[in-house]
Amino acid sequence: MKIGLVLEGGAMRGMYTAGVLDVFLDNRIAVDGIVGVSAGALFGVNYLSGQKGRAIRYNKRFNRDKNYMGLRPLLREGNLFSTKYAYDEVPRMLDPFDDARFKASPVPFYAVVTDVATGAPEYIRIRSVFDQMDALRASGSMPIVSRPVKIGEKYYLDGGVSDSIPFEWLSAQGYEKLVVILTRDRAYQKKAMPAAFVRLCAGKYPEVVEKLLERHTLYNRSVLRLNEWEAAGRAFVIRPSEAIRISRMEKDPERLQAVYDLGVRDGSRRLEALRDYLEQT
């Protein structure tokens, strides 16, 4: 059976995912395909490059830099994260990403993006992180605080706008067993965004506006569906054992480390059950 791995986004809640994936690396948990959304894509690539600890390391190091993330790049570039600093200098020079090892992996890796013209999700296969950095950047480009990213003749934003937890898409690609890493605890219910605010900030992209206004309904429905799959043995879900209470743009290294450590603890605690699930035919 083909095993698929699904990585939810959530900005700095993605430190939880990074912790779980580092447990997978330590214990040689192998999968046959991966799909990541937003932070799930941006941090998940380190799993295929085998770079344990990289995601937590560079976020603790750079998040406090006002030129890396925050108001300064937002005013200068229209993006909360500096395109040059965060997506070029860090992975190429300051904390190098091993793109050669990523490309050598036989495991397909997909990043979810949202077409701003249609509001529909697209699933882009990433064969080289450096060559396709714009696709990863698009997957993590949160509406309102990011400019759409042009790829070919289209413009894209955060994949979480249109498909926050793409487990059904990955299943449709022929993956019979799914492992899903969420960044919200079981009790979480997404609430509606203020309609006036959404229309004010994203009004030039009407299809994105509509997706944002219905996102809470779509997200909560997706979680309920995933819970059904989990109960039926169609998916193995790892989710935070407690609510993660950090800012989406968290800068405090200790708080980032605490979320990462929670991922390590939860991943380690579920390891035996995960192995049992993967061994079942």
Side-chain angles (χ1 to χ4, degrees):
M1 286 189 172
K2 289 174 65 177
I3 301 166
L5 176 62
V6 181
L7 308 175
E8 184 184 11
M12 289 304 119
R13 293 196 314 274
M15 290 299 96
Y16 178 85
T17 301
V20 175
L21 291 179
D22 282 352
V23 172
F24 285 11
L25 285 174
D26 277 344
N27 291 275
R28 298 184 179 182
I29 300 298
V31 300
D32 301 301
I34 304 172
V35 60
V37 183
S38 194
L42 290 167
F43 302 152
V45 293
N46 296 288
Y47 174 62
L48 289 189
S49 68
Q51 291 176 278
K52 177 186 174 183
R54 181 176 178 270
I56 181 64
R57 181 177 64 241
Y58 77 74
N59 280 281
K60 286 173 64 177
R61 178 181 175 189
F62 296 110
N63 279 14
R64 290 176 294 177
D65 189 329
K66 294 179 181 179
N67 292 306
Y68 178 83
M69 176 183 76
L71 186 60
R72 191 169 295 174
L74 184 61
L75 293 175
R76 286 177 177 172
E77 307 175 22
N79 295 308
L80 196 62
F81 285 86
S82 169
T83 300
K84 176 67 174 173
Y85 195 166
Y87 292 99
D88 186 13
E89 293 179 6
V90 169
R92 290 184 183 272
M93 295 176 288
L94 301 177
D95 196 323
F97 177 76
D98 191 344
D99 198 39
R101 187 169 179 183
F102 178 90
K103 290 191 293 186
S105 172
V107 178
F109 189 102
Y110 299 90
V112 186
V113 297
T114 300
D115 184 334
V116 299
T118 66
E122 293 187 19
Y123 309 84
I124 300 176
R125 181 169 178 181
I126 306 298
R127 300 179 185 274
S128 164
V129 166
F130 289 160
D131 292 346
Q132 296 175 274
M133 188 63 78
D134 281 349
L136 289 167
R137 187 163 64 87
S139 186
S141 290
M142 294 178 288
I144 300 171
V145 293
S146 305
R147 290 179 176 175
V149 178
K150 186 177 183 181
I151 303 173
E153 297 303 315
K154 296 183 179 182
Y155 288 87
Y156 298 94
L157 281 171
D158 196 313
V161 172
S162 53
D163 194 354
S164 295
I165 315 171
F167 65 98
E168 293 185 279
W169 177 84
L170 194 59
S171 175
Q173 310 313 304
Y175 293 87
E176 299 97 335
K177 282 183 174 288
L178 298 181
V179 179
V180 183
I181 302 177
L182 301 181
T183 60
R184 292 293 194 182
D185 62 286
R186 186 175 288 275
Y188 176 77
Q189 286 281 303
K190 187 174 287 296
K191 298 179 180 179
M193 297 179 69
F197 175 74
V198 171
R199 291 194 173 97
L200 175 65
C201 297
K204 63 187 299 185
Y205 308 111
E207 296 300 328
V208 172
V209 168
E210 291 307 310
K211 283 292 185 181
L212 289 174
L213 292 179
E214 66 177 352
R215 189 177 176 219
H216 63 293
T217 300
L218 297 175
Y219 181 88
N220 294 334
R221 187 183 299 157
S222 182
V223 171
L224 287 175
R225 179 74 169 152
L226 178 60
N227 290 342
E228 294 174 357
W229 283 40
E230 183 182 22
R234 297 183 65 184
F236 186 94
V237 182
I238 299 177
R239 48 168 59 89
S241 56
E242 59 189 64
I244 296 177
R245 304 189 186 282
I246 63 169
S247 165
R248 292 177 65 84
M249 298 294 103
E250 186 61 60
K251 298 180 179 181
D252 186 334
E254 292 185 2
R255 300 191 74 180
L256 292 169
Q257 185 69 50
V259 174
Y260 173 86
D261 290 344
L262 178 63
V264 171
R265 289 197 302 274
D266 286 352
S268 299
R269 181 176 56 85
R270 300 294 308 283
L271 194 59
E272 184 175 349
L274 173 61
R275 283 181 168 141
D276 288 345
Y277 170 77
L278 295 178
E279 290 172 0
Q280 295 169 3
T281 57

